[in-house]
Amino acid sequence: MGEAQAAQAADLEIRPPRQRRSREAWNRVLDAGVSILEDGGYEAFTIAAVCERAAVAPPAIYARTASKDALFLAVYEHGIQSLRAEQQVFSDNSRWADLSAAELVRAAVAETVGMFLRHERFLRAVVLTSASHPEIRRRGSRYSQELGNGFARVVLRVADAITLPDVETAVHSCFSTVFAASVIRVAYGPGFARPVPVEDDAFIADLAETAVRYLLSA
């Protein structure tokens, strides 16, 4: 690592709190940052706004980090962990047992899209910010691939029913379609890519049926 990279890494470093009261204050800071992003996006995200919402003085933040960007990345990681926790559903064998191939594909799509919709406000801010923030784009790519791998592991349980010649590629392509449609919906709203907006349940059902027809049709 060169000197410039080392300096940049140091500027983004978070100094974790050790005392209980400090940890509680820092958790309030992170929660407040997520709420600000949900309410107003990156434009509303300032250290002053975070301090006000978390009811902490600026030194409580500067004791942990040296810059707004480092704070933003810490808040991003805090928010994204809720989504990553939900991804454990793809490792829950009981969720996928005794499903037919079509039922399993529909359920995998529903779980994936559901994560986007449950965290829509946070993800909207993240997606729109990633266009001009290379580090968020890099981290988002890594987490998206992690989600895709979880989706693929589940759907490949019914690999024998998939009718396409390259099964693994087909499953990842299916995920890419579901992912892209979900990103557009949370970032720009339900009426952005279609003339007549549909409710969330119909959106999920449409994507699930698309996945079933792509993967399982003869």
Side-chain angles (χ1 to χ4, degrees), residues 175-200:
F175 171 77
S176 294
T177 299
V178 172
F179 179 86
S182 300
V183 166
I184 290 172
R185 187 175 180 91
V186 301
Y188 302 110
F192 181 80
R194 54 194 309 164
V196 180
V198 297
E199 297 296 326
D200 289 346

Side-chain angles (χ1 to χ4, degrees), residues 88-117:
Q88 295 305 309
V89 70
F90 292 126
S91 300
D92 180 5
N93 289 330
S94 64
R95 173 69 179 88
W96 312 104
D98 303 322
L99 295 178
S100 69
E103 289 170 340
L104 184 142
V105 170
R106 289 190 177 96
V109 171
E111 292 287 358
T112 302
V113 180
M115 293 178 204
F116 278 87
L117 298 178

Side-chain angles (χ1 to χ4, degrees), residues 1 13 31 99 103 120 132 156 177 184 189 198-199 209-210 216:
M1 180 183 295
E13 181 182 358
D31 288 341
L99 295 178
E103 289 170 340
E120 179 176 4
S132 57
L156 287 171
T177 299
I184 290 172
V198 297
E199 297 296 326
E209 186 62 25
T210 299
L216 305 179

Side-chain angles (χ1 to χ4, degrees), residues 60-103:
I61 290 179
Y62 289 115
R64 306 288 153 232
T65 183
S67 69
K68 171 188 171 181
D69 201 39
L71 176 61
F72 173 65
L73 290 173
V75 167
Y76 167 78
E77 292 293 341
H78 183 66
I80 214 72
Q81 291 314 308
S82 298
L83 281 89
R84 297 186 75 202
E86 291 187 18
Q87 289 175 213
Q88 295 305 309
V89 70
F90 292 126
S91 300
D92 180 5
N93 289 330
S94 64
R95 173 69 179 88
W96 312 104
D98 303 322
L99 295 178
S100 69
E103 289 170 340

